[in-house]
Amino acid sequence: MIGRAFVFAGRNLLRQPGRASVGIFGIAAVGALLFDMLLLSRGLVVSFRDLLDGIGFDVRVVASDAAPRSGPRLSDAENLTRQIAGLPQVDEAVTVRMVDATVDEPRSHWTIGFELTAIDPARRRPWTIMAGADLSIDSGQGILLNARLADALHARPGDSIKVRVSCIADRAALAPATFRVAGIAEFPFDDERWLSAAAWTHGVLGACGGGSSVPADMIMIASREGYGADGAVAAIRRIRPGLRPATNEEIVARMQQQGFTYFRQISTVLSTITMLFGFLLITVLLTVSVNQRLGEIATLRALGFSRARLAADIFWQSVLLVGTGGVLALPLGYLLAQWLDRILKAMPQIPASMHFFVFEPRALVVHGALLVMTAIVAAVYPMRLVSALPISATLRNEVVG
Amino acid sequence: MCVRRAIPLLIAAATCLSSMFVCADAARDIPAVLVSRQLFVSEKMSVGDVVTIAADGAGTNAHRFRVVGSYEPVPDPMRLGVVRREMRMHLPDLLAMSADPRDPLAMETVDAINIAAIGKKSRDRIGDKQDAAASEAFAKNLAARIPGVYARPTAVSDDRTSPFVVLERFHLAIAIVTVVASSIFLLALMLMLVDERRSTVGILRLIGYRRRRILEYVVVEGLIIAAAGAAIGVVIAGLFQGGVNRFFQWRYDTALVFVRITPGIAFRSVAMAVPLGVLAALASSWTLLRREVFALTRR
């Protein structure tokens, strides 16, 4: 009976192709927007988590809850790093200092400012080499540039550049120091316009005359296998209760509360509106369709079709409209997501490797569930109309009217 | 006897008065600080309170400041959700508190100097209609004259990357998709409406109405429905904007205005909605008007 009702519903829709196509395209349009809003609701979180995990360090120690470079810094960082690295729960600990640097570009006479990261990485390198060689102990005063900075300076691997470094904001910069470009690297947190570089700590501190007394912005820590990030954080808090170690998950949760909250809000609002839209579209389509077919429905009832059979017809029409539109919504939603993602990635300080719209199977499941719910709820009123239709009065009105 | 009793009272009063003057003088000597509203409320401060501030968590070189008022931080959409705990003080006071005594230039060092350009022809500030080229030239000249100084104009020539502009483009994209979906919805409704009027149109054609006249009725009807719907939509948006702003200002503890319906926006919305409504009416009526009259009246 379900099969027959399904086929019957399909034929009814095909009898009015214009109305059926408009309903399907309408559901496809709102379904695409709904799908994109579901991708947006967790896209930044998923993307940011992947970015953090991809670097290889799963714990970060900072001096306060402020973002790096905007709050207090870690003093006595070298001793602190040695102490943390000595913990059995810690596999690797690296001090990170982010300082301002400038180079006088000889051709344009512009002073090009960029962010220089002073770091002594061991096994894990928080960057990807695109050209040239990586920093090594033997490379001396080596420096890695990102591609945009290399283009701005017209520098290639092997070239020497004179860099003026300022490690502490309220201190004047010394005379420029010569660095040799070891290679071109991609830094994961750079946005599409950011100019950045990385060099050994001793080289950077030597260039700014700061020495090891220069406070650090953070300490990146990789936990040892078997203990996990939580174990490393607990151990650090035991030895230094005043510090603020955070796992990648905690950092992601904090960003979700602060930085990404606007996109969660807008995705919730737009998801609600699109669902309401879809519900209204299908309800109106089916209700008007029923109202226009009252005589036909009454005739079918008089011929012996049960209420349940005719209500099932309405139900399957709703399912067909929403289902077909929902399937079309997926490729449409994918294309729309590419477009919206390109728009949003133009925002400053958004890393180039992050995305706002990230596909998760969970989003597909939620999308399907919401559409199914819309199909069911939208069919309720027209099904009720059909079930409660008085046969004889309706047939009489058809003849007389 | 009354005088003898009064003397200790007078001395006490004079002592009290003089100590009040000393306290007032001391308070005036304490430098002033303005506190952001969020910090003012969270720390339960009052105007006149004396607070101790240091530049690091260890309390090194702490100084006392007198709270003279609170201010609302300039809303920053990039920092939504961040509680703005900030203070404003005079530059010499900040330098005295935060300068490194080992650095002889510490008291002469700042993070940035803001410069307002003056127009060549008049002595007025260039202001909002800033000559970007002149600012850029000045910045370049300054950077070349003073090595180690990084000068740049605040108004960048390519404004496409401003967060406001990016969000505006995003909202516009969402609006376009919503308008497309609404148009499809409207088309569906008009199709059903037209279907119901098939016999009416057939009778009108039978009694002599031309297609063109019926088309005019369809266009005018579509225009009235679209204009009325657009006007109602603008009114509803205007009614909702206050509630939306109040909710998000409460949610994010900010003075940022999230929704503002301007005459320009209302006009653009109506200008977009009305032609779409008329087009939907025309598109839905097209097949009806093309049919032969007997096909319309056939039962």
Side-chain angles (χ1 to χ4, degrees), chain B residues 31-36 51-55 63-66 68 71 86-98:
Chain B
V33 70
L34 273 178
V35 179
S36 69
V51 295
T52 306
I53 303 170
H63 281 58
R64 297 170 73 216
F65 290 87
R66 182 169 43 88
V68 295
Y71 68 96
E86 303 167 0
M87 286 183 172
R88 294 281 185 269
M89 59 182 65
H90 291 292
L91 182 59
D93 298 330
L94 178 66
L95 288 172
M97 185 179 68
S98 61

Side-chain angles (χ1 to χ4, degrees), chain B residues 11-241:
Chain B
I11 292 172
T15 308
C16 187
L17 276 171
S18 64
S19 68
M20 278 172 62
F21 281 121
V22 168
C23 287
D25 281 340
R28 275 197 288 272
D29 289 339
I30 299 174
V33 70
L34 273 178
V35 179
S36 69
R37 173 185 55 81
Q38 290 84 348
L39 183 58
F40 194 80
V41 167
S42 68
E43 297 302 315
K44 298 183 178 54
M45 294 184 192
S46 307
V47 173
D49 283 355
V50 175
V51 295
T52 306
I53 303 170
D56 62 23
T60 312
N61 196 24
H63 281 58
R64 297 170 73 216
F65 290 87
R66 182 169 43 88
V67 176
V68 295
S70 71
Y71 68 96
E72 185 65 41
V74 174
D76 184 355
M78 292 300 290
R79 298 173 68 187
L80 268 181
V82 175
V83 181
R84 304 284 296 272
R85 295 194 181 94
E86 303 167 0
M87 286 183 172
R88 294 281 185 269
M89 59 182 65
H90 291 292
L91 182 59
D93 298 330
L94 178 66
L95 288 172
M97 185 179 68
S98 61
D100 183 352
R102 296 168 296 175
D103 183 355
L105 287 177
M107 294 297 288
E108 298 292 325
T109 305
V110 295
D111 292 308
I113 298 172
N114 291 338
I115 298 170
I118 296 175
K120 283 184 182 175
K121 292 187 180 171
S122 72
R123 297 299 294 172
D124 298 329
R125 254 190 79 196
I126 293 177
D128 289 341
K129 293 183 183 173
Q130 198 168 349
D131 187 349
S135 302
E136 198 164 312
F138 175 78
K140 200 170 168 180
N141 192 17
L142 190 67
R145 285 167 183 261
I146 310 175
V149 164
Y150 181 50
R152 61 180 173 89
T154 55
V156 291
S157 56
D158 183 6
D159 207 30
R160 287 177 298 164
T161 59
S162 157
F164 290 104
V165 174
V166 171
L167 283 176
E168 190 180 319
R169 284 209 303 272
F170 176 67
H171 293 156
L172 181 63
I174 298 290
I176 289 170
V177 176
T178 314
V179 162
V180 166
S182 311
S183 303
I184 294 174
F185 192 176
L186 184 63
L187 187 61
L189 288 175
M190 298 300 275
L191 274 174
M192 289 183 283
L193 194 69
V194 154
D195 215 25
E196 284 187 348
R197 290 186 176 175
R198 191 162 49 89
S199 56
T200 308
V201 169
I203 291 168
L204 286 174
R205 292 283 307 281
L206 276 175
I207 62 176
Y209 275 62
R210 290 176 174 276
R211 283 194 176 105
R212 187 185 168 141
R213 192 162 173 188
I214 297 173
L215 183 66
E216 285 170 9
Y217 291 153
V218 166
V219 169
V220 169
E221 187 183 43
L223 191 65
I224 292 171
I225 292 173
I232 292 170
V234 169
V235 167
I236 291 174
L239 291 173
F240 268 95
Q241 82 171 327

Side-chain angles (χ1 to χ4, degrees), chain A residues 58-319:
Chain A
D58 52 4
V59 176
R60 279 154 182 80
V61 173
V62 288
S64 74
D65 289 334
R69 303 208 75 186
S70 61
R73 301 165 88 181
L74 294 163
S75 50
D76 196 23
E78 301 304 332
N79 288 333
L80 182 58
T81 304
R82 262 194 296 276
Q83 196 178 6
I84 291 173
L87 291 170
Q89 294 87 352
V90 172
D91 186 36
E92 186 178 345
V94 170
T95 314
V96 177
R97 293 173 174 88
M98 289 176 259
V99 300
D100 294 321
T102 57
V103 172
D104 295 328
E105 209 285 311
R107 296 185 205 187
S108 62
H109 302 291
W110 268 110
T111 298
I112 295 173
F114 60 94
E115 184 179 86
L116 178 59
T117 302
I119 187 170
D120 294 332
R123 296 192 306 280
R124 294 171 178 84
R125 302 290 168 119
W127 54 70
T128 306
I129 297 296
M130 309 301 286
D134 203 343
L135 288 180
S136 66
I137 296 289
D138 305 328
S139 63
Q141 197 86 326
I143 190 169
L144 290 174
L145 311 178
N146 75 354
R148 282 169 296 283
L149 181 58
D151 287 343
L153 298 176
H154 304 284
R156 289 176 300 180
D159 289 349
S160 292
I161 54 173
K162 287 186 182 300
V163 183
R164 200 185 300 266
V165 183
S166 174
C167 294
I168 298 178
D170 57 355
R171 283 194 188 169
L174 295 182
T178 303
F179 284 81
R180 193 186 63 80
V181 179
I184 311 297
E186 189 178 275
F187 299 97
F189 283 95
D190 285 354
D191 69 18
E192 292 186 351
R193 285 162 297 281
W194 200 243
L195 303 176
S196 61
W200 291 106
T201 302
H202 64 84
V204 174
L205 296 184
C208 69
S212 59
S213 63
V214 172
D217 291 285
M218 75 170 115
I219 300 171
M220 293 202 295
I221 293 154
S223 63
R224 199 178 293 279
E225 203 174 323
Y227 291 97
D230 293 327
V233 164
I236 294 167
R237 283 184 180 143
R238 274 197 295 274
I239 60 165
R240 290 286 196 115
L243 284 181
R244 280 176 164 77
T247 63
N248 286 351
E249 279 302 319
E250 286 169 351
I251 294 170
V252 168
R254 197 181 301 159
M255 287 301 286
Q256 196 172 9
Q257 282 302 312
Q258 296 174 359
F260 302 157
T261 183
Y262 166 74
F263 297 102
R264 275 193 306 124
Q265 302 275 347
I266 201 170
S267 76
T268 305
V269 168
L270 286 175
S271 300
T272 310
I273 291 173
T274 52
M275 274 187 52
L276 188 65
F277 212 83
F279 161 74
L280 280 174
L281 177 65
I282 299 301
T283 304
V284 167
L285 268 176
L286 291 178
T287 306
V288 172
S289 174
V290 163
N291 283 333
Q292 288 177 344
R293 290 170 51 212
L294 286 177
E296 178 189 321
I297 293 169
T299 306
L300 288 171
R301 289 274 285 121
L303 288 174
F305 276 59
S306 66
R307 280 182 226 266
R309 176 71 191 273
L310 289 171
D313 170 48
I314 301 300
F315 174 76
W316 285 116
Q317 281 189 44
S318 178
V319 167

